[in-house]
Amino acid sequence: MDEIAIAWKALTTTWAIPAAFGGVIWGIFGGALPGISPSIAMALLLPFTYGLDPVTSVVLLGSVYVGAEYGGSIPAILIRTPGTNASAATTIDGYEMNKRGQAGLALGISLSAGFVGGLFGLMMLVLMTEWLARVALLFTPPAYFALGVLGCSVVAGLSGGSVVKGWIAGVLGFMVATIGTDPVSGVPRFTFGSPDLLGGIRPILIMVGLFAVSEILIQVREPPWDKADARDTRLRFPDLKLWKRLALPQAIGGVVGTIEGLTPGGGGTIAAFLAYNESKRWSKYPEEFGHGSPEGVAAPESANNVVTATALIPLLSLGIPGSNSAAILLGGLLIHGLSPGPLLFERNPDVAYGLYAGLFVANIAMFLIGLVILTPCIWLVNRPKPYLLAFIFALVVSGVFSIDQSLVDVGLVLLAGVVGYFMRWAEIPFLPMVLGVVLGYMVESNFRRSLQLSNGELMVFLEDPVSLGLLLCAAALVTYSLMRERRNKKAETGVTP
Amino acid sequence: MFSQTKTTIIGLATLLSLAALPADAQPKYPHATVTMVTHSSPGSGSDVFLREMIKYLGPEMGVNFVVENVRGGGGAGAVARVAKGPADGSIFYATTPTYIQTTLLSKPEFGYDALDPIVTVFYDPEVIYTRTQSPYRSLSDAVNFAKQNPGKGKWGAASPGSLERIALETLNRMTGARAAVVPHDGGGDMIINILNGTLDIGVGELQEISTQLQTDKVKLLGVLTETRISQHPNLPTAKEQGINLVVTKFRGLAGPKNLPANVVAAWETAMPRILANPAYKKYYEGENLVPVFKGQKDSRELTTAFAADTTKSLRELGVIK
């Protein structure tokens, strides 16, 4: 109970509560701007924390993370532009719901799923940190490889029909992931001597290009919306019946988000994809996925908000920043001369428990602020089409440029947009490609690292228990989806004589 | 958003310089505001280092310092920003080995040789470490094991093009251990592989493992400096353990070419002074930095020698042709 008293004191004697609200607002805007990732939104605020007291500054940074992971879903639903990597999976069904005039409901689901997910993650962080930290240590290079393979096994589920086309997209994604410095030898690959490509191509550039830019290219050919202003412009929350339906994807998001948050390099993006795919598999209405399923919005949004809390577990238990965002938070702690890791609880309990309490406030703040800003957001995107398209284009280009002030990045986004346009024309799905870009590096680098460690012995992937378990899961998932596809085909041919 | 950040930094710098006492009589620096460019993002290594340094440099030189983060391109963007800047002492680049490596690994328009080193201020000591449960008690233990069991050693380094990886490959060649040198994605993932026993030893900056050291999760086996470091006086260097391996991870400043002599002289005077400042000393010793002041002449030599060494190593590794 002492901990609660310490947390309460930390909250009430500092500026932590206003910081939580301010951080969430900043985070939502940062997350909603295409290109500004949660970690960049946090980094931009970091210099402001130099003069603040330690509790206020860590709460501020943690709240930006919470807000940004949620904020990414707003443009994903409204303008088919994932604001953050982790909101790419939300784009599919969120935008479909929007097209059917259910933008208000989609945003309501994403907000409530994110809120519940955030609180669930916080519970894991507060209660299970010590136990989960041991799980994080089980992940060796073979286990990371297997985790990546498990991630790839969802490609079939994301292909929306043709598995072959899904794999074409997935392989394209892998190819993009090979650009940059070779993960083992250090040889620059496909960089053509350009220093801008040494670090590889960030997945967000591919996503923004594929989704947003290709949508602009498609929309400019279409006639304006007939009655743009007549569409639903109010935020709606799911009713009780829908809530019951969303409980399962919400829970899947919770479990997947917890595991992905623990593993450095995994993070919200993979969590969101896995949660989306698993919800589809377990759903009673799998056919609705891809055509505006509310479950397809709830699952990824739940998962990526769980990660905002669980990603802090390796940082607070082992002192290891598992993600870019956690690294910024680490920076925030170091500036104040605080050491992260278990010592924080001993030496500066006010900061550790203050951060927990602050994250709780931040989740509530996210919900309240979401209530206020979403209705004007929906109104904003229901303006006449030419204005909206010009607005999105400006948003995309300026957002991407502002990350590194790099015109190369802007060029890459536009190029990805053109590629996306032709992929839509050929009906090749985007998501497997995004997954390939996100997972390619992780799969390749850990495969090669494992072989280095085992002197080229492939058995290493079956000898490591975690790796074996994950690979068996992946095999089971692939077999299951292949069988289901065959059954569906049989059923179809049975109906048409 | 970036201009916002910048404004705050200017504000902070101004506040700090107002709060401090005016510098004692020395020739006035030709600029009231000086921009310090770093390739690292706010809150990470070089950035925090610079911001801490200007707290002491500002009052010493009577200058408002502004930190500008020019990210991207492995430091090439930041180098270009300074190389194209005016050669009058109003803009500098915070150097680390990164800018030399980027030049060697790619063909940026402006490489490290487009800048002129001014001063070298610190070395980041590199240490070899392992988890506490490990049977190794010194670097020579670990190396002897690897020698007696060729191909069995598992050594970890941060990233594939890093100085740390080059150091371990050099160690391999020196000892004939043929250990697997496994590069990682930065640092976090490597520390996990040390803690769970996947790797025998890891190499990195002392600062990176300070948390794990404080909680007794890892132990130090040796330090890759010329002489022992003050933070760990009982930790023998690799040289003392019979292994001739020294890694020079420097931090300093470089500017556009052809800077006026009075500017260079001002820096060469100011730097040793702030290094002697007790408050700053407390900070940098806490950060595990080793002060090594070098003026322009020595810094130039250091840079040239470092670039030649790294080129040779990267060639031997087959990374560049």
Side-chain angles (χ1 to χ4, degrees):
Chain A
M1 288 301 106
D2 280 355
E3 289 86 355
I4 296 178
I6 296 172
W8 177 252
K9 188 161 169 260
L11 266 195
T12 48
T13 55
T14 64
W15 287 85
I17 294 176
F21 275 80
V24 167
I25 295 178
W26 175 261
I28 291 179
F29 280 108
L33 281 173
I36 307 282
S37 64
S39 58
I40 292 171
M42 290 168 82
L44 290 172
L45 272 193
L46 198 67
F48 291 82
T49 67
Y50 289 15
L52 301 174
D53 68 273
V55 178
T56 310
S57 46
V58 292
V59 169
L60 181 69
L61 293 172
S63 308
V64 174
Y65 193 14
V66 171
E69 282 297 6
Y70 164 66
S73 73
I74 300 173
I77 291 168
L78 290 178
I79 57 177
R80 205 173 194 253
T81 305
T84 56
N85 288 346
S87 59
T90 312
T91 312
I92 329 163
D93 284 287
Y95 189 68
E96 287 299 321
M97 285 182 78
N98 179 18
K99 278 209 296 205
R100 296 201 317 220
Q102 293 181 326
L105 181 61
L107 287 168
I109 292 172
S110 121
L111 181 58
S112 49
F115 175 64
V116 176
L119 291 183
F120 177 81
L122 189 58
M123 209 168 73
M124 288 287 133
L125 173 65
V126 174
L127 301 176
M128 310 269 283
T129 289
E130 225 165 288
W131 186 79
L132 288 172
R134 264 179 259 156
V135 177
L137 279 186
L138 292 177
F139 277 78
T140 55
Y144 273 109
F145 166 75
L147 186 70
V149 171
L150 179 65
C152 294
S153 74
V154 309
V155 162
L158 297 175
S159 306
S162 165
V163 177
V164 173
K165 282 184 176 170
W167 276 109
I168 292 176
V171 170
L172 267 178
F174 279 134
M175 286 161 72
V176 173
T178 60
I179 297 171
T181 306
D182 180 290
V184 170
S185 73
V187 176
R189 299 190 297 201
F190 310 116
T191 60
F192 308 104
S194 157
D196 294 285
L197 292 177
L198 268 188
I201 296 178
R202 269 191 299 272
I204 189 77
L205 301 179
I206 301 293
M207 286 185 215
V208 170
L210 284 185
F211 288 102
V213 178
S214 77
E215 180 73 10
I216 295 172
L217 293 176
I218 298 253
Q219 286 290 347
V220 288
R221 300 191 321 188
E222 311 274 320
W225 296 308
D226 295 340
K227 293 178 193 167
D229 290 14
R231 298 206 300 178
D232 181 10
T233 55
R234 279 188 39 225
L235 178 66
R236 278 167 204 273
F237 283 105
D239 54 20
L240 195 64
K241 198 170 141 236
L242 188 52
W243 258 115
K244 280 188 187 152
R245 191 179 155 190
L246 295 180
L248 183 67
Q250 184 85 51
I252 292 174
V255 174
V256 173
T258 304
I259 298 170
E260 288 294 336
L262 284 181
T263 48
T269 317
I270 304 177
F273 276 112
L274 274 177
Y276 179 85
N277 194 58
E278 285 320 295
S279 301
K280 182 178 174 184
R281 201 190 314 276
W282 296 95
S283 171
K284 284 186 188 146
Y285 314 95
E287 69 285 353
E288 280 187 31
F289 279 74
H291 305 286
S293 165
E295 294 166 67
V297 176
E301 283 306 309
S302 160
N304 65 30
N305 271 80
V306 173
V307 172
T308 60
T310 55
L312 303 181
I313 291 177
L315 182 66
L316 293 178
S317 58
L318 304 166
I320 298 169
S323 62
N324 289 337
S325 313
I328 306 282
L329 195 63
L330 173 74
L333 288 166
L334 291 177
I335 287 165
H336 291 285
L338 304 170
S339 63
L343 283 182
L344 190 65
F345 292 87
E346 276 170 43
R347 292 188 191 162
N348 309 87
D350 56 322
V351 177
Y353 297 114
L355 175 62
Y356 287 174
L359 287 178
F360 181 73
V361 176
N363 273 288
I364 293 171
M366 177 188 101
F367 191 78
L368 296 177
I369 293 164
L371 283 182
V372 179
I373 63 158
L374 286 182
T375 301
C377 279
I378 303 173
W379 177 85
L380 191 71
V381 297
N382 275 326
R383 295 310 88 209
K385 191 158 131 181
Y387 299 138
L388 181 64
L389 291 184
F391 171 70
I392 297 174
F393 190 70
L395 201 64
V396 164
V397 172
S398 56
V400 166
F401 182 72
S402 67
I403 310 173
D404 280 350
Q405 290 104 27
S406 161
L407 277 176
V408 176
D409 286 354
V410 175
L412 287 171
V413 164
L414 297 180
L415 184 67
V418 174
V419 171
Y421 183 83
F422 286 105
M423 283 173 73
R424 286 177 118 183
W425 174 74
E427 292 180 345
I428 297 174
F430 290 157
L431 284 177
M433 174 159 176
V434 170
L435 204 64
V437 176
V438 172
L439 291 177
Y441 187 82
M442 175 174 162
V443 170
E444 186 207 347
S445 61
N446 284 297
F447 180 75
R448 293 174 59 189
R449 255 173 233 149
S450 308
L451 290 186
Q452 267 190 308
L453 287 165
S454 71
N455 277 323
E457 199 52 66
L458 281 164
M459 282 304 285
V460 68
F461 298 106
L462 303 181
E463 283 162 4
D464 183 286
V466 180
S467 160
L468 180 65
L470 291 170
L471 286 176
L472 287 178
C473 276
L477 295 185
V478 171
T479 320
Y480 175 80
S481 44
L482 286 178
M483 273 167 60
R484 195 176 58 183
E485 200 183 343
R486 183 169 292 177
R487 209 181 323 136
N488 288 350
K489 266 191 190 150
K490 262 189 195 161
E492 275 169 30
T493 45
V495 172
T496 44
Chain B
M1 249 168 276
F2 273 88
S3 63
Q4 241 172 338
T5 327
K6 210 162 125 183
T7 327
T8 331
I9 299 160
I10 299 176
L12 274 176
T14 322
L15 258 171
L16 286 166
S17 47
L18 282 178
L21 293 168
D24 49 323
Q26 56 164 292
K28 207 173 161 299
Y29 194 75
H31 298 274
T33 305
V34 171
T35 307
M36 308 289 259
V37 180
T38 170
H39 58 258
S40 80
S41 48
S44 57
S46 263
D47 177 73
V48 176
F49 160 75
L50 260 188
R51 285 171 206 271
E52 201 59 40
M53 188 166 81
I54 59 175
K55 281 189 198 167
Y56 300 92
L57 266 179
E60 179 64 45
M61 299 178 71
V63 168
N64 287 333
F65 286 99
V66 185
V67 174
E68 197 175 306
N69 304 87
V70 182
R71 295 169 11 105
V79 171
R81 167 95 174 81
V82 177
K84 286 189 268 188
D88 58 1
S90 61
I91 186 165
F92 294 95
Y93 172 67
T95 57
T96 67
T98 306
Y99 87 122
I100 299 182
Q101 286 167 310
T102 300
T103 309
L104 300 177
L105 290 173
S106 63
K107 302 179 200 80
E109 194 184 347
F110 295 94
Y112 75 90
D113 40 6
L115 299 181
D116 197 4
I118 310 295
V119 283
T120 307
V121 195
F122 292 108
Y123 284 167
D124 273 309
E126 296 274 343
V127 289
I128 305 264
Y129 59 94
T130 186
R131 64 170 174 170
T132 325
Q133 302 92 316
S134 160
Y136 305 131
R137 301 178 60 182
S138 66
L139 177 58
S140 48
D141 279 358
V143 169
N144 285 338
F145 168 83
K147 265 191 202 168
Q148 284 152 14
N149 303 278
K152 287 271 159 60
K154 293 163 185 173
W155 300 349
S159 59
S162 65
L163 277 186
E164 289 86 352
R165 173 172 177 237
I166 294 175
L168 289 183
E169 296 283 9
T170 312
L171 185 61
N172 242 344
R173 199 160 297 134
M174 244 186 244
T175 58
R178 292 199 291 120
V181 175
V182 187
H184 289 71
D185 294 335
D189 52 342
M190 177 170 95
I191 297 175
I192 285 196
N193 285 336
I194 291 282
L195 294 180
N196 64 23
T198 306
L199 297 169
D200 300 333
I201 54 169
V203 58
E205 290 169 27
L206 187 52
Q207 187 56 25
E208 291 168 357
I209 50 163
S210 59
T211 310
Q212 288 76 23
L213 267 182
Q214 283 169 347
T215 46
D216 278 330
K217 299 263 190 236
V218 299
K219 58 182 174 185
L220 300 175
L221 299 178
V223 58
L224 306 180
T225 43
E226 288 285 351
T227 52
R228 293 192 181 198
I229 50 176
S230 62
Q231 290 89 345
H232 295 275
N234 296 325
L235 179 69
T237 63
K239 272 191 163 176
E240 288 176 63
Q241 303 184 43
I243 298 158
N244 189 12
L245 188 62
V246 174
V247 176
T248 319
K249 197 157 192 177
F250 59 85
R251 293 184 189 214
L253 292 174
K257 284 190 169 170
N258 306 318
L259 284 175
N262 64 333
V263 166
V264 176
W267 281 99
E268 286 180 336
T269 329
M271 272 302 174
R273 285 201 195 192
I274 69 157
L275 285 178
N277 182 326
Y280 190 46
K281 195 168 180 170
K282 186 161 172 279
Y283 163 78
Y284 65 69
E285 285 186 348
E287 292 289 305
N288 295 310
L289 292 169
V290 177
V292 277
F293 174 75
K294 290 185 198 297
Q296 182 162 50
K297 187 171 160 286
D298 292 341
S299 298
R300 281 178 179 160
E301 277 170 19
L302 173 80
T303 311
T304 318
F306 184 93
D309 277 358
T310 313
T311 311
K312 187 166 156 275
S313 302
L314 290 175
R315 270 208 191 114
E316 281 170 1
L317 288 177
V319 174
I320 52 175
K321 283 182 193 128

